[in-house]
Amino acid sequence: MSVRWAYNTNGLSSHRLDDACTLLADHGYAGVALTLDVAHHDPFAPDLARRTAALADRLGELGLGSVVETGARFLLDPRRKHHPTLVSADAADRARRVDFLRLCVDVAADLGSEAVSFWAGVLAAGLDRDEAWSRLVEGVAEVAEHARARGVVVAVEPEPGMLVDDLDDWCRLREVVPGISVALDTGHCIVSGRWAPADAVREFAPHLGAVAVEDMPRGVHEHRAPGEGDMDLRAVVAALGEIGHRGLVSLELSRDSHRADQLVPRAIETLRAMEVSS
């Protein structure tokens, strides 16, 4: 069974959204990982419902599935990257993040997306870790409850340096919020945590809500194109085949929009070659 490859729109930020989706379809991608952001499908711009319905129609015409990503850098705060979060000190800030994630769930439901992925946030200096964990659990539970009502899969992504840093942290979170799936970025496994990327694919197969692959230097959280880091991508591709993963598998190359015209075709060619040889 072939892997259903997708590409994240945060790596296509110099393209109009329709042009980006058309480019992916033309090169044989099965889907798009849509980062709701100022450049692409801004959830706070007017006529969201109409725009979402039009996008759903367009994705259907192109034969593209979707997942919704929520990691826009400055969408909620133009002066602070990735703020506010679910572990922000101020209750109003945390509520803004929860409201945003609930809105992303609504967009995903209207698009028929396979999942919504989100992360915990970085623990600010001076904040108590246990208190922040309690806030995180509360926020994730709110989002998960809304997602259940809308029939949407929510996947929490372990991010190096955040409160949910690795897969073991995700396991701890799932014990208290059992409805969540995991958004597994295999590159993160060689930055932090004890799981090798291919082993993580196999071990967490029943819980995969979203999957991302890209290359990455060992110990450095820097997303790179296939072949430009230390990841054993061939082993990851083989593991995805072994478990028969049916969901989209996305490439997240947010720093490479300036060469997306080259990477979009090159990346899928490289990954498909790995499928054949694994």
Side-chain angles (χ1 to χ4, degrees):
M1 183 185 69
S2 296
V3 176
R4 297 174 60 236
W5 300 112
Y7 202 99
N8 201 316
T9 58
N10 68 5
L12 289 155
S13 61
S14 296
H15 286 71
R16 297 179 183 88
L17 181 56
D18 188 72
D19 290 339
C21 292
T22 303
L23 181 68
L24 298 181
D26 286 348
H27 286 289
Y29 285 85
V32 57
L34 174 64
T35 300
L36 300 184
D37 205 348
V38 293
H40 292 142
H41 210 66
D42 184 344
F44 301 123
D47 298 323
L48 177 61
R50 179 191 59 78
R51 290 187 290 114
T52 301
L55 178 58
D57 289 344
R58 183 59 176 152
L59 293 177
E61 292 171 359
L62 294 171
L64 295 175
S66 65
V67 293
V68 170
E69 302 281 352
T70 60
R73 292 182 177 95
F74 298 103
L75 181 65
L76 299 184
D77 189 330
R79 293 175 174 82
R80 294 184 301 168
K81 180 182 175 182
H82 289 156
H83 280 273
T85 75
L86 294 174
V87 296
S88 293
D90 185 77
D93 281 344
R94 296 194 302 275
R96 284 180 61 215
R97 175 60 65 171
V98 169
D99 287 345
F100 167 62
L101 294 175
R102 286 164 55 96
L103 181 59
C104 292
V105 167
D106 291 338
V107 171
D110 292 342
L111 287 177
S113 299
E114 296 179 9
V116 173
S117 127
F118 63 96
W119 33 248
V122 175
L123 182 63
L127 288 183
D128 180 77
R129 188 176 183 86
D130 290 338
E131 184 177 355
W133 186 265
S134 296
R135 294 168 176 170
L136 172 66
V137 169
E138 181 180 351
V140 172
E142 286 187 57
V143 177
E145 181 179 3
H146 183 66
R148 279 194 297 272
R150 295 301 314 266
V152 173
V153 172
V154 287
V156 177
E157 181 176 8
E159 281 272 355
M162 293 194 177
L163 190 58
V164 177
D165 177 271
D166 60 19
L167 287 162
D168 290 341
D169 291 331
W170 178 86
C171 289
R172 181 186 169 202
L173 181 62
R174 189 173 186 273
E175 288 178 0
V176 289
V177 191
I180 61 171
S181 297
V182 64
L184 175 63
D185 189 316
T186 54
H188 294 168
C189 293
I190 65 170
V191 179
S192 60
R194 65 183 178 90
W195 293 94
D199 291 342
V201 169
R202 298 184 186 94
E203 181 68 21
F204 291 88
H207 308 295
L208 295 177
V211 179
V213 297
E214 64 280 319
D215 221 328
M216 202 166 287
R218 186 167 298 279
V220 180
H221 188 191
E222 184 178 296
H223 293 230
R224 294 185 182 178
E228 297 181 1
D230 300 320
M231 274 280 293
D232 187 352
L233 281 172
R234 193 178 303 276
V236 171
V237 171
L240 288 166
E242 287 173 26
I243 69 170
H245 183 66
R246 297 180 179 277
L248 292 171
V249 178
S250 309
L251 289 103
E252 185 178 359
L253 302 174
S254 60
R255 299 176 181 177
D256 289 293
S257 289
H258 65 287
R259 55 178 184 146
D261 60 322
Q262 303 167 46
L263 290 187
V264 164
R266 194 180 88 193
I268 196 168
E269 289 171 6
T270 300
L271 293 167
R272 280 178 169 167
M274 291 180 181
E275 283 188 82
V276 172
S277 61
S278 62

